[in-house]
Amino acid sequence: MPRISNNLVGILNFITFLLSIPILWAGVWLSKQGSTECEKYLDKPIIIIGVFLLLISLAGLLGACCRISWLLWVYLLVMFVLIVVLFAFTIFAFVVTNKGAGEVLSNRGYKEYRLGDYSDWLQKRVNNAKNWNKIKSCLIDGKICSTFADKYIKDTVEQFYQENLSALQSGCCKPSNDCNFNYVSPIIWNRTATTSPNPDCNLWENDPNVLCFNCQACKAGLLDNIKSNWKKVAVVNIVFLVFLIIVYSVGCCAFRNNREDHAYQRQWK
């Protein structure tokens, strides 16, 4: 009679196997149909995740249901490494996202963001020209600022200053408050004779494909967005870690059952 632990591991890995197929298909589709740099940037990671889930679920499924001990051993080894990596990433995510917050402005509904407020590790990632060009392409393709402009197009300057903008909208789609530019529309601002030490003021352009995408404030806005998302991911990781540890424990029971069954069969040969 099959052991409960073997059946449970088999069922869980069969579900994982089914989930890996659409993930792998999505990666292949992006590699063939992706028209933007952002879409093409995602295809390889998605394919790798799909192949990984496919192979590891097959190892767990065959190892548990067909009582192939070496496959189950490989499965448990990979699971153990995955648990360690996820645990390390969760700690790393909390440490890296511990610094940085938006600056509250007087008589403004939105905050502004300074790159120097965030962790050095994150700053190095966005200050790399190659990395930032890909990120910038994603932001433009994602129509962050065109959607922003359409939403607030009818605002007067007083109304605009009271809007609750996202970190990306505040950093990438408008000039810094330090620049003292004159408001025309959400993405059109006229320069004034006032000079500011903020280097972002010289980088601003009214061109929808330029705006403040090269500004330090835009990079800071992205990092604030990443900080928020990574903290959410870290919390999800904790739940996922608990689940993986339970699956790993059940897998260990299934592996022990396989060894006991093989030992029993050898005794009766």
Side-chain angles (χ1 to χ4, degrees):
M1 181 179 179
R3 308 287 183 94
I4 294 176
S5 57
N6 290 68
N7 287 343
L8 188 56
V9 171
I11 291 169
L12 289 171
N13 281 283
F14 180 69
I15 294 171
T16 306
F17 174 78
L18 293 178
L19 290 174
S20 69
I21 294 173
I23 293 173
L24 188 57
W25 179 86
V28 173
W29 183 87
L30 276 177
S31 67
K32 301 290 185 182
Q33 304 295 328
S35 58
T36 67
E37 184 68 25
C38 188
E39 290 173 338
K40 292 176 181 178
Y41 188 67
L42 292 173
D43 61 356
K44 290 181 181 178
I46 291 175
I47 290 174
I48 290 171
I49 290 171
V51 171
F52 173 79
L53 289 175
L54 183 71
L55 294 177
I56 195 62
S57 60
L58 278 176
L61 181 64
L62 294 174
C65 296
C66 300
R67 306 298 178 92
I68 304 174
S69 294
W70 70 269
L71 266 181
L72 201 54
W73 183 87
V74 170
Y75 170 77
L76 289 173
L77 177 64
V78 173
M79 287 288 286
F80 177 77
V81 172
L82 185 60
I83 288 170
V84 172
V85 169
L86 273 178
F87 179 78
F89 173 77
T90 302
I91 299 297
F92 175 75
F94 277 117
V95 171
V96 166
T97 58
N98 192 44
K99 292 177 61 180
E103 177 187 350
V104 178
L105 303 174
S106 177
N107 299 318
R108 299 288 187 270
Y110 51 80
K111 297 178 180 179
E112 290 201 340
Y113 302 85
R114 311 292 178 188
L115 187 59
D117 293 341
Y118 296 87
S119 75
D120 292 339
W121 188 86
L122 286 175
Q123 287 185 52
K124 288 178 181 177
R125 304 286 82 74
V126 295
N127 280 329
N128 179 285
K130 184 177 179 181
N131 289 345
W132 184 247
N133 285 336
K134 289 181 179 179
I135 294 169
K136 183 169 64 174
S137 173
C138 289
L139 294 175
I140 295 171
D141 292 338
K143 302 185 184 303
I144 298 292
C145 292
S146 59
T147 304
F148 157 84
D150 293 339
K151 183 176 181 180
Y152 303 117
I153 188 65
K154 295 182 179 180
D155 278 11
T156 62
V157 62
E158 291 80 12
Q159 290 173 327
F160 181 79
Y161 283 155
Q162 298 307 313
E163 298 290 1
N164 183 21
L165 307 181
S166 70
L168 283 173
Q169 289 172 341
S170 177
C172 305
C173 305
K174 66 168 193 61
S176 170
N177 195 58
D178 297 339
C179 303
N180 293 314
F181 289 173
N182 291 326
Y183 174 87
V184 178
S185 75
I187 59 171
I188 298 177
W189 298 72
N190 289 334
R191 295 178 182 273
T192 62
T194 306
T195 57
S196 169
N198 190 333
D200 286 352
C201 299
N202 295 325
L203 296 173
W204 170 266
E205 290 187 26
N206 289 329
D207 183 342
N209 290 320
V210 180
L211 299 179
C212 217
F213 287 119
N214 293 315
C215 298
Q216 298 292 296
C218 187
K219 296 176 182 179
L222 176 75
L223 294 188
D224 195 80
N225 198 51
I226 289 173
K227 174 186 173 180
S228 176
N229 290 335
W230 272 28
K231 283 193 172 180
K232 293 174 184 176
V233 169
V235 172
V236 172
N237 274 354
I238 292 172
V239 177
F240 190 46
L241 270 172
V242 173
F243 172 75
L244 282 180
I245 290 170
I246 293 172
V247 173
Y248 180 77
S249 300
V250 175
C252 288
C253 292
F255 181 69
R256 184 185 63 190
N257 292 340
N258 283 4
R259 295 191 64 180
E260 288 176 354
D261 289 345
H262 291 158
Y264 180 78
Q265 289 169 7
R266 282 196 299 269
Q267 285 179 359
W268 287 94
K269 283 185 179 180

